[in-house]
Amino acid sequence: MKAVILAAGEGTRLEPLTAVRPKPMLPVANKPLLEYVVEAAAEAGIDEIVIVVGYKRERIQNHFGDGDDWGVDIEYVLQEKQLGTGHAILQVEDVVGDEFVVLNGDLIMGSESVERLVRRREATGNTVMSVIRSRQPSAYGVVELDGDTVVSVVEKPPEHTQPSNLINAGAYAFDRSIFDAIRETDSPGEQAITDTFSRIAGHGDIEGVRFEGQWLDVSHLWDLLSVNGRILDHMAAADHPSVSVHESAVVSDNCVVGPDTYVRANATVLPGVSLGANVEVGSNAVVSNSVVFADATIEPGAVVRDCIVGENATVGENATVSGGDTDIVVNGNHCENVRLGGVVGDNADLGGGVTVSPGTVIGNGTTVATGASVSGRIESNATVRRG
Ligand code: G1P
């Protein structure tokens, strides 16, 4: 059975980070989200993987190549326009066999869950949909089960109206009849696979298999921090190469440090921090609960908490991202009490002494002048002056 991994989408809720990379390539503990999915499929015994690519596909193909490094064969199928997950699945019609597994490429799930899916499919020959309990069901496809049969799927219903707290976990097993089922479904907008599920659920045609264990979804910018923290918590200390840490610096156990990264004298890297490759943490700087992408620089004395620092970005000397909880509006949705000190976009440059209020999102390539204070959303390639 081949595994088809859906990785063509952009992930607009994660802008500005997704302006230069597709969402599945966002790093968690210094590995792209998609790599966790490839590994889960490989560990579940699947050795042929089809990745559906589209938006910024070269980032994905350059990273995974033919899959050799993961002990699997990877082929790529192009979804030229991102017209929905059902449409993405239609693109693999010529490359899959009688039955296949489909996995969302942007969420982390354990290999045992993928194995379960495959085993159910082999045992019953049904269309199988993975479901998991959620505390926030209305943010997902909400699934109602009768025994093991899926009786309804409602995509992102208004809050507090959802019929259950089970959601579509983004992993399925199909046979080729799904292609006609997708084609025969009228979708209001994008051709989403959940539209097809909504249509055929209730005919007794879909079996729900409950996932337990690891299932981590990055929907919003702040999720990247919490998911990163969760993964680091479960990593063994031996996985943390701390090659270039100054003897007076402290790097906590549950952090990862990429190759060619330097942590200078008296700097403190507290729990929940991923430092990508070729990062510089200057002397006396403090970093906690943050994801720092490759080639970024945190200058001496800076304080960076609950923050995403983009590729090749600079946080100037003694600049402060104080961190903490905040309320943010994303695409018109009010999100309360989310932990996000700030986002510093790729190639952005914060001058010395800059202060960043909680929840600030600074666009890619933006320059913030020495001593300025910033808050809210700042567009890409802007120049922010002091005062
Ligand atoms: C998609 C599906 C949704 C499912 C979710 C799982 O939503 O449409 O039914 O619950 O994946 O992560 P999206 O992530 O595109 O918002």
Side-chain angles (χ1 to χ4, degrees):
M1 223 188 274
K2 287 187 183 180
V4 174
I5 304 181
L6 306 181
E10 175 178 350
T12 50
R13 282 173 296 193
L14 292 147
E15 278 172 1
L17 303 176
T18 49
V20 292
R21 57 182 74 73
K23 179 180 170 190
M25 292 304 285
L26 288 176
V28 166
N30 287 354
K31 265 192 331 198
L33 281 169
L34 180 55
E35 194 167 331
Y36 292 88
V37 186
V38 168
E39 286 175 354
E43 279 166 32
I46 297 175
D47 51 18
E48 286 180 277
I49 292 177
V50 181
I51 305 184
V52 183
V53 291
Y55 179 72
K56 307 264 182 222
R57 67 188 173 110
E58 61 289 345
R59 294 286 285 235
I60 293 175
Q61 294 184 221
N62 290 343
H63 184 83
F64 292 98
D66 60 8
D68 238 21
D69 291 353
W70 290 266
V72 292
D73 279 338
I74 297 182
E75 67 186 300
Y76 299 92
V77 167
L78 175 63
Q79 183 192 22
E80 266 185 65
K81 287 193 178 149
Q82 279 73 71
L83 300 175
T85 44
H87 181 263
I89 293 169
L90 286 180
Q91 313 307 307
V92 304
E93 197 163 357
D94 293 340
V95 299
V96 294
D98 290 342
E99 45 186 12
F100 56 101
V101 164
V102 172
L103 306 171
N104 278 7
D106 58 5
L107 45 87
I108 298 177
M109 61 182 77
S111 60
E112 64 289 348
S113 296
V114 181
E115 261 172 55
R116 250 180 125 196
L117 192 67
V118 173
R119 275 207 307 272
R120 285 313 296 164
R121 167 74 208 173
E122 285 170 351
T124 66
N126 289 333
T127 293
V128 189
M129 173 191 224
S130 58
V131 299
I132 192 160
R133 216 169 277 286
S134 169
R135 268 185 267 154
Q136 252 197 311
S138 60
Y140 299 96
V142 177
V143 177
E144 248 188 308
L145 290 182
D146 178 7
D148 287 335
T149 303
V150 175
V151 292
S152 83
V153 181
V154 190
E155 188 67 18
K156 304 189 177 77
E159 239 172 287
H160 310 303
T161 64
Q162 70 273 0
S164 94
N165 59 0
L166 291 176
I167 62 160
N168 164 16
Y172 325 101
F174 295 122
D175 60 36
R176 299 187 63 83
S177 67
I178 194 65
F179 298 121
D180 280 340
I182 294 169
R183 276 189 284 267
E184 286 158 13
T185 305
D186 283 329
S187 289
E190 285 188 348
Q191 205 167 19
I193 186 63
T194 40
D195 294 335
T196 300
F197 285 135
S198 304
R199 186 175 68 77
I200 62 178
H203 304 175
D205 285 343
I206 313 171
E207 180 180 340
V209 57
R210 284 170 193 256
F211 273 13
E212 275 148 27
Q214 193 174 56
W215 190 86
L216 299 169
D217 171 42
V218 177
S219 287
H220 292 290
L221 290 164
W222 51 90
D223 298 326
L224 191 63
L225 297 178
S226 56
V227 167
N228 182 64
R230 292 276 291 277
I231 292 292
L232 292 178
D233 281 347
H234 290 104
M235 279 170 70
D239 291 337
H240 310 153
S242 42
V243 274
S244 303
V245 176
H246 190 273
E247 58 184 20
S248 64
V250 174
V251 177
S252 300
D253 263 358
N254 48 351
C255 294
V256 281
V257 181
D260 303 319
T261 284
Y262 287 87
V263 181
R264 303 290 184 191
N266 297 310
T268 310
V269 179
L270 293 163
V273 174
S274 293
L275 300 175
N278 193 35
V279 164
E280 167 95 19
V281 178
S283 52
N284 299 304
V286 177
V287 189
S288 70
N289 189 42
S290 293
V291 175
V292 181
F293 288 38
D295 304 323
T297 304
I298 294 170
E299 291 189 343
V303 175
V304 175
R305 298 187 189 277
D306 307 327
C307 187
I308 300 168
V309 181
E311 206 167 293
N312 196 39
T314 302
V315 178
E317 198 164 334
N318 297 320
T320 307
V321 183
S322 53
D325 292 347
T326 185
D327 297 345
I328 299 189
V329 178
V330 182
N331 299 343
N333 290 326
H334 212 88
C335 305
E336 288 177 356
N337 285 327
V338 298
R339 173 145 296 194
L340 183 68
V343 177
V344 182
D346 293 284
N347 302 307
D349 187 357
L350 309 194
V354 163
T355 55
V356 176
S357 300
T360 304
V361 178
I362 299 165
N364 297 337
T366 284
T367 304
V368 181
T370 302
S373 297
V374 286
S375 60
R377 225 171 227 272
I378 301 164
E379 63 190 31
S380 290
N381 302 313
T383 303
V384 180
R385 295 179 210 288
R386 189 172 172 178

